[in-house]
Amino acid sequence: MTSTTTSSPRLTPVQLDALGAEMDAIRQRVLADLGEADADYIHGVVRLQRRLEVAGRALFYLPPAWPLAVAALSVSKILDNMEIGHNVMHGQYDWMGEPGLSSRMYEWDNVCPSEQWRYSHNYIHHTFTNVLGKDRDIGYGILRMDEDQPWHPYYLGNPVYAFLLMVFFEWGVAMHDLEVENIVAGRRSLADNKALHAGIMRKVRRQALKDYVLFPALTGPFFPLTLAGNATANLVRNVWAFNIIFCGHFPAGVATFSEGECEDESRGHWYYRQLLGSANIDGGSLFHLMTGNLSFQVEHHLFPDLPARRYPEISGEVREICERYGLPYNTGPLGKQLLSVARKICRLALPDRRREQPSQAAEQPAAA
């Protein structure tokens, strides 16, 4: 591990194999139990999301109801992106055989093309979770979120960059694969991104036409109010998604790993890395629904293809396994996890006096 504030034990290969076998057993048991209740759940969430979107867009015809319209549309977008889009595109409901819930066919209400998100998130992030140099979600190419990222004066703006990423989060996700920081640093050329441009621009045009032209135009004289309402709903979704996702990987105690530590990685070590590289958020059932059950980020990273509604029921078993192996189970209330993330963003804006070396200080950051 390259950085963690915990005293997590290093398990032996035998222990890692045993840990992997226990986690595989949980996964196989849940897979064998998938059925009508899971299908009813996701169908219910889809119906709720669609009704909220219809209600929100209809209420824009009643100017005094503008706050209600924005609230309904905001919740609709959050459900679409988190409990439906994120989880469907993980393949959690592929077993149902429904085209509308197929990971390969689903397209979400977001400027990031689903196809590109599946590669950067499902493959890169979930395969190389918290491996510095491999997982681009560590700082998204613009932030310093780990002590082992060499400090540079550019990172004095860490809090400002984080704020801007929060406000424009869907755009940051859409630009994730472009690796702009590597283009600036000369490690990637514009030609390398040529294959991505058409998909991004097609999705951006579709989203902009829908939210900022078509639906506002349909409300006639209320065009400006509807446009402002749609923009506000997108902002609410961006802020919520950013904070939930950052609380899943950046609170104190979450570990990162070097590429060397993960060479020839066993199945058990992969589970071990997911456990130590993720954090949960405590809350009630409504809160978990609104996070897409990413408030169970630990369970999600252990079992990304299991329906997210199953995470609460297996979380107790995962915690008990952690206790037996002496592994930390990182969880806490939203306020605590948010404060911890904010502190890290601000602390890593400054040079680490304890660890900084002259050769590191001279190295240019990727995004500078």
Side-chain angles (χ1 to χ4, degrees):
M1 281 167 282
T2 59
S3 64
T4 176
T5 59
T6 68
S7 54
S8 306
R10 289 185 179 274
L11 303 184
T12 66
V14 172
Q15 289 175 312
L16 287 172
D17 287 343
L19 175 72
E22 292 200 56
M23 294 299 177
D24 279 342
I26 294 175
R27 181 173 182 276
Q28 291 304 321
R29 189 186 69 231
V30 175
L31 283 175
D33 189 49
L34 294 181
E36 187 175 353
D38 302 281
D40 289 346
Y41 173 81
I42 192 62
H43 286 152
V45 175
V46 170
R47 281 196 301 273
L48 175 62
Q49 181 270 322
R50 289 176 178 172
R51 287 170 181 169
L52 285 167
E53 180 173 6
V54 170
R57 298 203 182 280
L59 286 170
F60 281 129
Y61 288 92
L62 302 171
W66 189 86
L68 288 176
V70 172
L73 193 58
S74 299
V75 174
S76 167
K77 285 177 176 285
I78 288 171
L79 289 175
D80 174 90
N81 278 199
M82 304 191 77
E83 183 66 318
I84 304 172
H86 172 272
N87 294 334
V88 166
M89 288 190 286
H90 262 293
Q92 295 181 4
Y93 298 97
D94 282 355
W95 56 275
M96 293 170 61
E98 295 186 15
L101 296 173
S102 166
S103 61
R104 294 186 178 183
M105 300 174 68
Y106 193 85
E107 190 60 64
W108 59 353
D109 185 0
N110 190 297
V111 294
C112 178
S114 296
E115 180 181 8
Q116 293 181 22
W117 182 88
R118 285 194 293 271
Y119 172 77
S120 61
H121 182 83
N122 285 8
Y123 173 62
I124 296 293
H125 173 57
H126 275 271
T127 302
F128 305 107
T129 305
N130 281 22
V131 178
L132 195 60
K134 300 286 284 185
D135 183 2
R136 297 192 67 255
D137 281 22
I138 302 177
Y140 290 84
I142 60 173
L143 298 171
R144 184 176 184 237
M145 295 304 297
D146 187 87
E147 288 85 350
D148 288 313
Q149 290 174 270
W151 184 83
H152 183 275
Y154 162 84
Y155 290 119
L156 290 172
N158 228 28
V160 176
Y161 311 145
F163 176 78
L164 292 174
L165 180 60
M166 177 180 69
V167 171
F168 300 103
F169 192 56
E170 66 170 328
W171 296 92
V173 174
M175 295 176 67
H176 190 278
D177 284 2
L178 297 180
E179 300 187 29
V180 175
E181 79 282 4
N182 286 328
I183 293 176
V184 173
R187 294 190 289 267
R188 186 179 175 91
S189 70
L190 290 174
D192 292 332
N193 288 338
K194 189 175 180 180
L196 302 174
H197 290 162
I200 294 176
M201 292 310 299
R202 185 165 52 248
K203 191 65 189 296
V204 167
R205 283 196 297 270
R206 173 179 162 180
Q207 290 297 112
L209 181 66
K210 175 173 69 72
D211 277 342
Y212 303 125
V213 178
L214 178 60
F215 279 111
L218 288 174
T219 57
F222 307 125
F223 184 104
L225 281 176
T226 305
L227 186 150
N230 289 345
T232 304
N234 283 329
L235 173 63
V236 171
R237 184 270 323 278
N238 287 348
V239 171
W240 178 256
F242 170 93
N243 283 291
I244 295 303
I245 291 168
F246 267 58
C247 284
H249 288 297
F250 301 122
V254 172
T256 57
F257 302 79
S258 69
E259 293 184 48
E261 289 176 290
C262 303
E263 289 181 355
D264 301 321
E265 186 175 52
S266 66
R267 178 75 171 165
H269 190 275
W270 182 87
Y271 279 123
Y272 171 83
R273 179 160 54 82
Q274 306 302 322
L275 276 170
L276 299 187
S278 307
N280 285 359
I281 313 169
D282 298 338
S285 56
L286 178 59
F287 174 75
H288 295 314
L289 170 66
M290 293 300 292
T291 69
N293 278 295
L294 290 178
S295 43
F296 291 96
Q297 191 75 239
V298 172
E299 286 72 20
H300 173 59
H301 264 268
L302 292 170
F303 312 109
D305 59 345
L306 294 184
R309 67 176 290 269
R310 297 292 192 135
Y311 297 153
E313 76 182 44
I314 61 177
S315 62
E317 195 171 352
V318 171
R319 184 191 288 247
E320 186 273 331
I321 291 173
C322 286
E323 290 173 355
R324 262 195 291 118
Y325 285 84
L327 300 174
Y329 185 86
N330 193 325
T331 188
L334 179 61
K336 175 189 172 186
Q337 301 294 58
L338 281 175
L339 183 60
S340 179
V341 171
R343 284 175 173 166
K344 178 178 284 188
I345 290 171
C346 294
R347 178 169 55 82
L348 294 180
L350 303 174
D352 188 336
R353 295 178 181 177
R354 179 174 59 86
R355 302 184 59 177
E356 185 185 10
Q357 300 297 323
S359 60
Q360 292 179 321
E363 189 174 340
Q364 295 293 315

